[in-house]
Amino acid sequence: LSDIEKKTIKKALLYFGTSMKGKERAAKELGIGIATLYRKIQEYHLLDEIEINKCLRHISSPCPLNL
């Protein structure tokens, strides 16, 4: 079940973005509070995964994670 939750939150963040406004919109769409979203982001290390995915998609541009 947690794997489904993680994937759903990750998709919402990829769709709405990781800015404060994007996170607010994602939380609203998911039907959870912003504090819960932040806790889940930390619990699942989602921002790290999203940044890695962005780097892999844009392999020719410099990656902020130095991969």
Short mmCIF file of all heavy atoms in Angstrom, two decimals:
data_model
loop_
_atom_site.label_atom_id
_atom_site.label_comp_id
_atom_site.label_asym_id
_atom_site.label_seq_id
_atom_site.Cartn_x
_atom_site.Cartn_y
_atom_site.Cartn_z
N LEU A 1 0.82 -1.20 0.00
CA LEU A 1 0.00 0.00 0.00
C LEU A 1 0.86 1.26 0.00
O LEU A 1 0.55 2.22 -0.69
CB LEU A 1 -0.94 -0.02 1.20
CG LEU A 1 -2.03 1.04 1.20
CD1 LEU A 1 -2.91 0.93 -0.02
CD2 LEU A 1 -2.86 0.92 2.45
N SER A 2 1.95 1.23 0.77
CA SER A 2 2.80 2.43 0.82
C SER A 2 3.46 2.70 -0.53
O SER A 2 3.73 3.85 -0.87
CB SER A 2 3.85 2.30 1.92
OG SER A 2 4.74 1.25 1.64
N ASP A 3 3.70 1.64 -1.31
CA ASP A 3 4.29 1.83 -2.63
C ASP A 3 3.33 2.59 -3.54
O ASP A 3 3.74 3.47 -4.30
CB ASP A 3 4.66 0.48 -3.24
CG ASP A 3 5.50 0.62 -4.49
OD1 ASP A 3 6.47 1.40 -4.46
OD2 ASP A 3 5.17 -0.03 -5.50
N ILE A 4 2.05 2.27 -3.44
CA ILE A 4 1.03 2.97 -4.24
C ILE A 4 0.95 4.43 -3.80
O ILE A 4 0.88 5.33 -4.64
CB ILE A 4 -0.34 2.27 -4.09
CG1 ILE A 4 -0.28 0.88 -4.72
CG2 ILE A 4 -1.45 3.11 -4.72
CD1 ILE A 4 -1.48 0.01 -4.40
N GLU A 5 0.97 4.65 -2.48
CA GLU A 5 0.92 6.02 -1.96
C GLU A 5 2.13 6.82 -2.45
O GLU A 5 1.98 7.95 -2.91
CB GLU A 5 0.91 5.97 -0.43
CG GLU A 5 0.86 7.34 0.21
CD GLU A 5 0.85 7.25 1.72
OE1 GLU A 5 1.82 6.73 2.30
OE2 GLU A 5 -0.14 7.71 2.31
N LYS A 6 3.30 6.22 -2.39
CA LYS A 6 4.52 6.89 -2.83
C LYS A 6 4.43 7.27 -4.31
O LYS A 6 4.73 8.41 -4.69
CB LYS A 6 5.72 5.97 -2.58
CG LYS A 6 7.04 6.55 -3.02
CD LYS A 6 8.17 5.58 -2.75
CE LYS A 6 9.49 6.09 -3.25
NZ LYS A 6 10.60 5.17 -2.98
N LYS A 7 4.00 6.33 -5.13
CA LYS A 7 3.89 6.60 -6.58
C LYS A 7 2.87 7.69 -6.87
O LYS A 7 3.09 8.55 -7.73
CB LYS A 7 3.52 5.32 -7.32
CG LYS A 7 4.66 4.34 -7.41
CD LYS A 7 4.23 3.07 -8.13
CE LYS A 7 5.37 2.07 -8.16
NZ LYS A 7 4.99 0.81 -8.81
N THR A 8 1.76 7.68 -6.14
CA THR A 8 0.71 8.67 -6.35
C THR A 8 1.19 10.07 -5.98
O THR A 8 0.97 11.03 -6.72
CB THR A 8 -0.55 8.29 -5.53
OG1 THR A 8 -0.97 6.98 -5.92
CG2 THR A 8 -1.67 9.29 -5.76
N ILE A 9 1.87 10.18 -4.85
CA ILE A 9 2.39 11.48 -4.42
C ILE A 9 3.47 11.97 -5.38
O ILE A 9 3.49 13.14 -5.77
CB ILE A 9 2.92 11.41 -2.97
CG1 ILE A 9 1.75 11.16 -2.01
CG2 ILE A 9 3.66 12.69 -2.60
CD1 ILE A 9 2.17 10.84 -0.59
N LYS A 10 4.33 11.07 -5.82
CA LYS A 10 5.39 11.43 -6.76
C LYS A 10 4.79 11.94 -8.07
O LYS A 10 5.24 12.96 -8.61
CB LYS A 10 6.28 10.22 -7.02
CG LYS A 10 7.48 10.51 -7.88
CD LYS A 10 8.35 9.28 -7.99
CE LYS A 10 9.49 9.49 -8.94
NZ LYS A 10 10.33 8.29 -9.06
N LYS A 11 3.75 11.27 -8.58
CA LYS A 11 3.10 11.72 -9.81
C LYS A 11 2.49 13.10 -9.63
O LYS A 11 2.59 13.95 -10.53
CB LYS A 11 2.02 10.73 -10.24
CG LYS A 11 2.56 9.47 -10.86
CD LYS A 11 1.42 8.57 -11.29
CE LYS A 11 1.94 7.26 -11.84
NZ LYS A 11 0.84 6.37 -12.26
N ALA A 12 1.88 13.34 -8.48
CA ALA A 12 1.27 14.65 -8.22
C ALA A 12 2.34 15.73 -8.19
O ALA A 12 2.15 16.82 -8.73
CB ALA A 12 0.49 14.62 -6.91
N LEU A 13 3.48 15.45 -7.56
CA LEU A 13 4.56 16.43 -7.49
C LEU A 13 5.17 16.68 -8.87
O LEU A 13 5.53 17.81 -9.19
CB LEU A 13 5.63 15.98 -6.50
CG LEU A 13 5.22 16.00 -5.04
CD1 LEU A 13 6.28 15.33 -4.19
CD2 LEU A 13 4.96 17.42 -4.57
N LEU A 14 5.29 15.64 -9.66
CA LEU A 14 5.81 15.82 -11.01
C LEU A 14 4.83 16.64 -11.85
O LEU A 14 5.25 17.45 -12.67
CB LEU A 14 6.07 14.46 -11.67
CG LEU A 14 7.28 13.69 -11.15
CD1 LEU A 14 7.27 12.26 -11.67
CD2 LEU A 14 8.57 14.39 -11.53
N TYR A 15 3.55 16.46 -11.64
CA TYR A 15 2.54 17.19 -12.41
C TYR A 15 2.43 18.65 -11.97
O TYR A 15 2.46 19.55 -12.79
CB TYR A 15 1.18 16.49 -12.28
CG TYR A 15 0.11 17.16 -13.09
CD1 TYR A 15 0.03 16.96 -14.46
CD2 TYR A 15 -0.82 18.00 -12.48
CE1 TYR A 15 -0.95 17.59 -15.22
CE2 TYR A 15 -1.80 18.63 -13.23
CZ TYR A 15 -1.86 18.42 -14.60
OH TYR A 15 -2.82 19.06 -15.34
N PHE A 16 2.32 18.86 -10.64
CA PHE A 16 2.09 20.21 -10.13
C PHE A 16 3.39 20.97 -9.84
O PHE A 16 3.38 22.18 -9.72
CB PHE A 16 1.24 20.17 -8.85
CG PHE A 16 -0.17 19.76 -9.10
CD1 PHE A 16 -0.63 18.52 -8.69
CD2 PHE A 16 -1.06 20.60 -9.75
CE1 PHE A 16 -1.94 18.13 -8.91
CE2 PHE A 16 -2.38 20.22 -9.99
CZ PHE A 16 -2.81 18.97 -9.57
N GLY A 17 4.48 20.25 -9.71
CA GLY A 17 5.76 20.88 -9.43
C GLY A 17 6.10 20.83 -7.95
O GLY A 17 5.27 20.50 -7.10
N THR A 18 7.34 21.17 -7.64
CA THR A 18 7.82 21.08 -6.27
C THR A 18 7.96 22.44 -5.60
O THR A 18 8.48 22.54 -4.49
CB THR A 18 9.17 20.33 -6.22
OG1 THR A 18 10.11 20.99 -7.07
CG2 THR A 18 9.01 18.89 -6.64
N SER A 19 7.47 23.48 -6.27
CA SER A 19 7.45 24.79 -5.62
C SER A 19 6.41 24.75 -4.50
O SER A 19 5.61 23.82 -4.40
CB SER A 19 7.06 25.88 -6.63
OG SER A 19 5.70 25.70 -7.02
N MET A 20 6.40 25.77 -3.67
CA MET A 20 5.42 25.83 -2.58
C MET A 20 4.00 25.76 -3.14
O MET A 20 3.16 25.01 -2.64
CB MET A 20 5.63 27.12 -1.78
CG MET A 20 4.67 27.28 -0.64
SD MET A 20 4.91 25.96 0.54
CE MET A 20 4.09 26.64 1.93
N LYS A 21 3.74 26.51 -4.20
CA LYS A 21 2.42 26.51 -4.82
C LYS A 21 2.10 25.13 -5.40
O LYS A 21 0.97 24.64 -5.27
CB LYS A 21 2.36 27.58 -5.92
CG LYS A 21 1.00 27.80 -6.48
CD LYS A 21 0.11 28.47 -5.46
CE LYS A 21 -1.20 28.88 -6.09
NZ LYS A 21 -2.14 29.34 -5.09
N GLY A 22 3.08 24.51 -6.03
CA GLY A 22 2.88 23.17 -6.58
C GLY A 22 2.55 22.15 -5.51
O GLY A 22 1.66 21.30 -5.70
N LYS A 23 3.24 22.24 -4.40
CA LYS A 23 2.97 21.32 -3.29
C LYS A 23 1.59 21.56 -2.71
O LYS A 23 0.88 20.60 -2.37
CB LYS A 23 4.04 21.46 -2.20
CG LYS A 23 5.39 20.92 -2.62
CD LYS A 23 6.42 21.23 -1.55
CE LYS A 23 7.81 20.90 -2.07
NZ LYS A 23 8.83 21.58 -1.31
N GLU A 24 1.19 22.81 -2.61
CA GLU A 24 -0.16 23.13 -2.11
C GLU A 24 -1.22 22.54 -3.04
O GLU A 24 -2.20 21.96 -2.57
CB GLU A 24 -0.34 24.64 -1.99
CG GLU A 24 0.44 25.26 -0.86
CD GLU A 24 0.40 26.79 -0.86
OE1 GLU A 24 -0.14 27.39 -1.82
OE2 GLU A 24 0.91 27.37 0.10
N ARG A 25 -1.01 22.69 -4.33
CA ARG A 25 -1.97 22.16 -5.31
C ARG A 25 -1.99 20.63 -5.27
O ARG A 25 -3.06 20.02 -5.37
CB ARG A 25 -1.63 22.67 -6.70
CG ARG A 25 -1.86 24.17 -6.82
CD ARG A 25 -1.40 24.74 -8.14
NE ARG A 25 -2.22 24.23 -9.23
CZ ARG A 25 -1.88 24.32 -10.51
NH1 ARG A 25 -0.75 24.90 -10.85
NH2 ARG A 25 -2.66 23.84 -11.44
N ALA A 26 -0.81 20.02 -5.13
CA ALA A 26 -0.74 18.55 -5.06
C ALA A 26 -1.47 18.04 -3.82
O ALA A 26 -2.24 17.08 -3.90
CB ALA A 26 0.72 18.10 -5.04
N ALA A 27 -1.24 18.69 -2.68
CA ALA A 27 -1.91 18.27 -1.45
C ALA A 27 -3.42 18.39 -1.60
O ALA A 27 -4.16 17.46 -1.21
CB ALA A 27 -1.42 19.12 -0.27
N LYS A 28 -3.88 19.47 -2.17
CA LYS A 28 -5.32 19.67 -2.37
C LYS A 28 -5.89 18.59 -3.27
O LYS A 28 -6.93 18.00 -2.98
CB LYS A 28 -5.59 21.06 -2.95
CG LYS A 28 -7.05 21.37 -3.08
CD LYS A 28 -7.28 22.79 -3.56
CE LYS A 28 -8.77 23.06 -3.65
NZ LYS A 28 -9.05 24.41 -4.10
N GLU A 29 -5.20 18.31 -4.37
CA GLU A 29 -5.67 17.29 -5.31
C GLU A 29 -5.67 15.90 -4.67
O GLU A 29 -6.56 15.09 -4.94
CB GLU A 29 -4.77 17.29 -6.56
CG GLU A 29 -5.20 16.33 -7.62
CD GLU A 29 -6.52 16.70 -8.29
OE1 GLU A 29 -6.90 17.88 -8.30
OE2 GLU A 29 -7.18 15.78 -8.80
N LEU A 30 -4.71 15.64 -3.81
CA LEU A 30 -4.63 14.34 -3.14
C LEU A 30 -5.57 14.22 -1.95
O LEU A 30 -5.76 13.14 -1.41
CB LEU A 30 -3.18 14.09 -2.66
CG LEU A 30 -2.14 13.91 -3.76
CD1 LEU A 30 -0.74 13.98 -3.18
CD2 LEU A 30 -2.36 12.59 -4.50
N GLY A 31 -6.13 15.35 -1.54
CA GLY A 31 -7.06 15.34 -0.42
C GLY A 31 -6.38 15.20 0.93
O GLY A 31 -6.95 14.64 1.87
N ILE A 32 -5.14 15.70 1.02
CA ILE A 32 -4.40 15.65 2.27
C ILE A 32 -3.93 17.06 2.63
O ILE A 32 -3.88 17.94 1.78
CB ILE A 32 -3.18 14.70 2.21
CG1 ILE A 32 -2.19 15.12 1.10
CG2 ILE A 32 -3.65 13.26 1.98
CD1 ILE A 32 -0.92 14.28 1.05
N GLY A 33 -3.58 17.25 3.88
CA GLY A 33 -3.07 18.54 4.31
C GLY A 33 -1.64 18.74 3.86
O GLY A 33 -0.91 17.79 3.56
N ILE A 34 -1.23 19.99 3.81
CA ILE A 34 0.13 20.31 3.37
C ILE A 34 1.17 19.72 4.32
O ILE A 34 2.22 19.24 3.88
CB ILE A 34 0.33 21.84 3.17
CG1 ILE A 34 1.64 22.15 2.43
CG2 ILE A 34 0.25 22.59 4.48
CD1 ILE A 34 1.63 21.80 0.99
N ALA A 35 0.88 19.70 5.62
CA ALA A 35 1.81 19.10 6.59
C ALA A 35 1.98 17.61 6.33
O ALA A 35 3.09 17.07 6.41
CB ALA A 35 1.34 19.36 8.01
N THR A 36 0.88 16.95 6.00
CA THR A 36 0.95 15.51 5.68
C THR A 36 1.77 15.29 4.43
O THR A 36 2.59 14.36 4.37
CB THR A 36 -0.47 14.94 5.50
OG1 THR A 36 -1.20 15.14 6.71
CG2 THR A 36 -0.44 13.46 5.16
N LEU A 37 1.59 16.13 3.43
CA LEU A 37 2.36 16.00 2.20
C LEU A 37 3.85 16.16 2.49
O LEU A 37 4.66 15.35 2.03
CB LEU A 37 1.92 17.03 1.16
CG LEU A 37 2.70 16.97 -0.16
CD1 LEU A 37 2.50 15.64 -0.87
CD2 LEU A 37 2.30 18.12 -1.05
N TYR A 38 4.22 17.17 3.26
CA TYR A 38 5.63 17.36 3.60
C TYR A 38 6.20 16.16 4.34
O TYR A 38 7.33 15.73 4.10
CB TYR A 38 5.82 18.64 4.43
CG TYR A 38 5.99 19.87 3.58
CD1 TYR A 38 4.92 20.75 3.39
CD2 TYR A 38 7.19 20.16 2.96
CE1 TYR A 38 5.06 21.88 2.61
CE2 TYR A 38 7.34 21.29 2.17
CZ TYR A 38 6.28 22.14 2.00
OH TYR A 38 6.42 23.26 1.22
N ARG A 39 5.40 15.59 5.25
CA ARG A 39 5.86 14.42 6.01
C ARG A 39 6.08 13.23 5.07
O ARG A 39 7.09 12.53 5.16
CB ARG A 39 4.84 14.07 7.09
CG ARG A 39 5.27 12.93 7.98
CD ARG A 39 4.36 12.74 9.18
NE ARG A 39 2.93 12.80 8.90
CZ ARG A 39 2.21 11.80 8.38
NH1 ARG A 39 2.78 10.65 8.09
NH2 ARG A 39 0.91 11.96 8.17
N LYS A 40 5.17 13.05 4.13
CA LYS A 40 5.30 11.95 3.17
C LYS A 40 6.48 12.17 2.22
O LYS A 40 7.17 11.23 1.85
CB LYS A 40 4.00 11.77 2.37
CG LYS A 40 2.81 11.36 3.20
CD LYS A 40 2.99 9.98 3.77
CE LYS A 40 1.75 9.55 4.54
NZ LYS A 40 1.91 8.19 5.08
N ILE A 41 6.70 13.41 1.82
CA ILE A 41 7.85 13.72 0.97
C ILE A 41 9.14 13.32 1.67
O ILE A 41 10.02 12.71 1.07
CB ILE A 41 7.86 15.22 0.59
CG1 ILE A 41 6.74 15.54 -0.41
CG2 ILE A 41 9.22 15.63 0.03
CD1 ILE A 41 6.52 17.03 -0.65
N GLN A 42 9.25 13.65 2.94
CA GLN A 42 10.45 13.28 3.71
C GLN A 42 10.53 11.78 3.92
O GLN A 42 11.59 11.18 3.76
CB GLN A 42 10.46 14.01 5.05
CG GLN A 42 10.75 15.47 4.92
CD GLN A 42 10.79 16.17 6.27
OE1 GLN A 42 10.14 15.75 7.22
NE2 GLN A 42 11.56 17.24 6.35
N GLU A 43 9.40 11.19 4.29
CA GLU A 43 9.37 9.75 4.57
C GLU A 43 9.82 8.93 3.37
O GLU A 43 10.55 7.96 3.51
CB GLU A 43 7.93 9.36 4.97
CG GLU A 43 7.72 7.92 5.29
CD GLU A 43 6.28 7.61 5.63
OE1 GLU A 43 5.53 8.52 6.07
OE2 GLU A 43 5.87 6.45 5.46
N TYR A 44 9.37 9.32 2.19
CA TYR A 44 9.68 8.57 0.97
C TYR A 44 10.87 9.13 0.19
O TYR A 44 11.20 8.62 -0.88
CB TYR A 44 8.46 8.53 0.05
CG TYR A 44 7.27 7.79 0.63
CD1 TYR A 44 6.00 8.36 0.60
CD2 TYR A 44 7.40 6.54 1.20
CE1 TYR A 44 4.90 7.69 1.11
CE2 TYR A 44 6.31 5.86 1.72
CZ TYR A 44 5.07 6.44 1.67
OH TYR A 44 3.98 5.78 2.18
N HIS A 45 11.48 10.19 0.68
CA HIS A 45 12.63 10.83 0.00
C HIS A 45 12.27 11.20 -1.44
O HIS A 45 13.05 11.01 -2.37
CB HIS A 45 13.86 9.91 0.02
CG HIS A 45 14.22 9.42 1.37
ND1 HIS A 45 14.85 10.22 2.30
CD2 HIS A 45 14.02 8.23 1.97
CE1 HIS A 45 15.03 9.53 3.41
NE2 HIS A 45 14.53 8.33 3.24
N LEU A 46 11.09 11.76 -1.61
CA LEU A 46 10.58 12.01 -2.95
C LEU A 46 11.29 13.13 -3.69
O LEU A 46 11.47 13.04 -4.90
CB LEU A 46 9.08 12.30 -2.89
CG LEU A 46 8.23 11.07 -2.58
CD1 LEU A 46 6.78 11.47 -2.38
CD2 LEU A 46 8.34 10.04 -3.68
N LEU A 47 11.70 14.16 -3.01
CA LEU A 47 12.37 15.25 -3.73
C LEU A 47 13.70 14.78 -4.30
O LEU A 47 14.08 15.18 -5.41
CB LEU A 47 12.56 16.47 -2.82
CG LEU A 47 11.27 17.18 -2.42
CD1 LEU A 47 11.57 18.42 -1.59
CD2 LEU A 47 10.43 17.55 -3.63
N ASP A 48 14.40 13.91 -3.58
CA ASP A 48 15.64 13.34 -4.12
C ASP A 48 15.36 12.54 -5.39
O ASP A 48 16.06 12.69 -6.39
CB ASP A 48 16.31 12.43 -3.09
CG ASP A 48 16.79 13.16 -1.86
OD1 ASP A 48 17.00 14.40 -1.93
OD2 ASP A 48 16.95 12.52 -0.81
N GLU A 49 14.32 11.71 -5.36
CA GLU A 49 13.97 10.90 -6.53
C GLU A 49 13.57 11.77 -7.71
O GLU A 49 13.96 11.50 -8.84
CB GLU A 49 12.81 9.96 -6.20
CG GLU A 49 13.22 8.76 -5.40
CD GLU A 49 12.09 7.75 -5.30
OE1 GLU A 49 11.22 7.70 -6.20
OE2 GLU A 49 12.08 7.01 -4.30
N ILE A 50 12.81 12.81 -7.45
CA ILE A 50 12.37 13.70 -8.53
C ILE A 50 13.56 14.40 -9.16
O ILE A 50 13.66 14.50 -10.38
CB ILE A 50 11.30 14.69 -8.01
CG1 ILE A 50 10.01 13.93 -7.71
CG2 ILE A 50 11.06 15.81 -9.01
CD1 ILE A 50 8.97 14.72 -6.96
N GLU A 51 14.49 14.88 -8.35
CA GLU A 51 15.68 15.55 -8.89
C GLU A 51 16.53 14.57 -9.70
O GLU A 51 17.04 14.93 -10.75
CB GLU A 51 16.51 16.16 -7.76
CG GLU A 51 15.90 17.41 -7.18
CD GLU A 51 15.63 18.49 -8.20
OE1 GLU A 51 16.51 18.77 -9.04
OE2 GLU A 51 14.52 19.05 -8.18
N ILE A 52 16.67 13.35 -9.25
CA ILE A 52 17.44 12.34 -9.99
C ILE A 52 16.77 12.07 -11.33
O ILE A 52 17.43 12.02 -12.37
CB ILE A 52 17.59 11.05 -9.17
CG1 ILE A 52 18.56 11.29 -8.01
CG2 ILE A 52 18.08 9.90 -10.05
CD1 ILE A 52 18.59 10.20 -6.97
N ASN A 53 15.43 11.94 -11.32
CA ASN A 53 14.70 11.71 -12.58
C ASN A 53 14.88 12.87 -13.55
O ASN A 53 15.05 12.66 -14.74
CB ASN A 53 13.21 11.49 -12.31
CG ASN A 53 12.94 10.13 -11.71
OD1 ASN A 53 13.74 9.22 -11.82
ND2 ASN A 53 11.80 9.99 -11.07
N LYS A 54 14.86 14.10 -13.03
CA LYS A 54 15.07 15.27 -13.90
C LYS A 54 16.47 15.22 -14.51
O LYS A 54 16.64 15.53 -15.69
CB LYS A 54 14.90 16.56 -13.10
CG LYS A 54 13.48 16.89 -12.76
CD LYS A 54 13.42 18.19 -11.96
CE LYS A 54 12.04 18.52 -11.49
NZ LYS A 54 12.03 19.72 -10.63
N CYS A 55 17.45 14.85 -13.70
CA CYS A 55 18.82 14.78 -14.21
C CYS A 55 18.96 13.72 -15.30
O CYS A 55 19.62 13.94 -16.31
CB CYS A 55 19.79 14.45 -13.08
SG CYS A 55 20.00 15.77 -11.90
N LEU A 56 18.34 12.58 -15.08
CA LEU A 56 18.45 11.51 -16.06
C LEU A 56 17.76 11.87 -17.36
O LEU A 56 18.21 11.47 -18.43
CB LEU A 56 17.87 10.21 -15.48
CG LEU A 56 18.64 9.63 -14.31
CD1 LEU A 56 17.92 8.41 -13.74
CD2 LEU A 56 20.07 9.27 -14.70
N ARG A 57 16.67 12.64 -17.29
CA ARG A 57 15.97 13.06 -18.50
C ARG A 57 16.77 14.09 -19.28
O ARG A 57 16.66 14.20 -20.48
CB ARG A 57 14.60 13.63 -18.15
CG ARG A 57 13.57 12.55 -18.00
CD ARG A 57 12.19 13.13 -17.90
NE ARG A 57 11.67 12.72 -16.59
CZ ARG A 57 11.10 13.52 -15.72
NH1 ARG A 57 10.92 14.77 -15.98
NH2 ARG A 57 10.68 13.06 -14.57
N HIS A 58 17.56 14.88 -18.59
CA HIS A 58 18.34 15.94 -19.22
C HIS A 58 19.83 15.67 -19.03
O HIS A 58 20.57 16.48 -18.51
CB HIS A 58 17.96 17.30 -18.61
CG HIS A 58 16.51 17.61 -18.73
ND1 HIS A 58 15.93 17.93 -19.93
CD2 HIS A 58 15.51 17.61 -17.82
CE1 HIS A 58 14.63 18.12 -19.75
NE2 HIS A 58 14.36 17.93 -18.49
N ILE A 59 20.23 14.52 -19.47
CA ILE A 59 21.60 14.04 -19.22
C ILE A 59 22.65 14.97 -19.80
O ILE A 59 23.76 15.05 -19.29
CB ILE A 59 21.76 12.59 -19.75
CG1 ILE A 59 22.87 11.86 -19.02
CG2 ILE A 59 21.96 12.55 -21.24
CD1 ILE A 59 22.53 11.43 -17.64
N SER A 60 22.29 15.72 -20.81
CA SER A 60 23.29 16.61 -21.41
C SER A 60 23.49 17.89 -20.61
O SER A 60 24.48 18.58 -20.78
CB SER A 60 22.89 16.96 -22.84
OG SER A 60 21.66 17.65 -22.83
N SER A 61 22.54 18.21 -19.72
CA SER A 61 22.70 19.41 -18.90
C SER A 61 23.29 19.04 -17.55
O SER A 61 23.15 17.91 -17.09
CB SER A 61 21.34 20.10 -18.72
OG SER A 61 20.45 19.26 -18.04
N PRO A 62 23.95 19.98 -16.89
CA PRO A 62 24.56 19.69 -15.60
C PRO A 62 23.52 19.32 -14.55
O PRO A 62 22.45 19.90 -14.51
CB PRO A 62 25.27 20.99 -15.21
CG PRO A 62 25.09 21.93 -16.34
CD PRO A 62 24.15 21.34 -17.33
N CYS A 63 23.86 18.35 -13.74
CA CYS A 63 22.96 17.88 -12.70
C CYS A 63 23.34 18.51 -11.37
O CYS A 63 24.50 18.45 -10.97
CB CYS A 63 23.05 16.36 -12.60
SG CYS A 63 22.06 15.68 -11.28
N PRO A 64 22.37 19.10 -10.65
CA PRO A 64 22.70 19.72 -9.37
C PRO A 64 23.12 18.72 -8.30
O PRO A 64 23.70 19.09 -7.31
CB PRO A 64 21.39 20.41 -8.96
CG PRO A 64 20.34 19.69 -9.72
CD PRO A 64 20.97 19.23 -11.00
N LEU A 65 22.87 17.44 -8.55
CA LEU A 65 23.26 16.41 -7.57
C LEU A 65 24.63 15.82 -7.90
O LEU A 65 25.08 14.90 -7.23
CB LEU A 65 22.21 15.29 -7.53
CG LEU A 65 20.82 15.76 -7.12
CD1 LEU A 65 19.84 14.59 -7.19
CD2 LEU A 65 20.81 16.34 -5.73
N ASN A 66 25.28 16.33 -8.93
CA ASN A 66 26.61 15.85 -9.34
C ASN A 66 26.64 14.36 -9.60
O ASN A 66 27.53 13.66 -9.15
CB ASN A 66 27.67 16.23 -8.29
CG ASN A 66 27.79 17.72 -8.15
OD1 ASN A 66 27.76 18.44 -9.15
ND2 ASN A 66 27.93 18.19 -6.94
N LEU A 67 25.67 13.88 -10.36
CA LEU A 67 25.63 12.45 -10.71
C LEU A 67 26.49 12.17 -11.90
O LEU A 67 26.64 12.91 -12.78
CB LEU A 67 24.20 12.00 -10.98
CG LEU A 67 23.26 12.08 -9.81
CD1 LEU A 67 21.85 11.66 -10.25
CD2 LEU A 67 23.69 11.17 -8.68
#
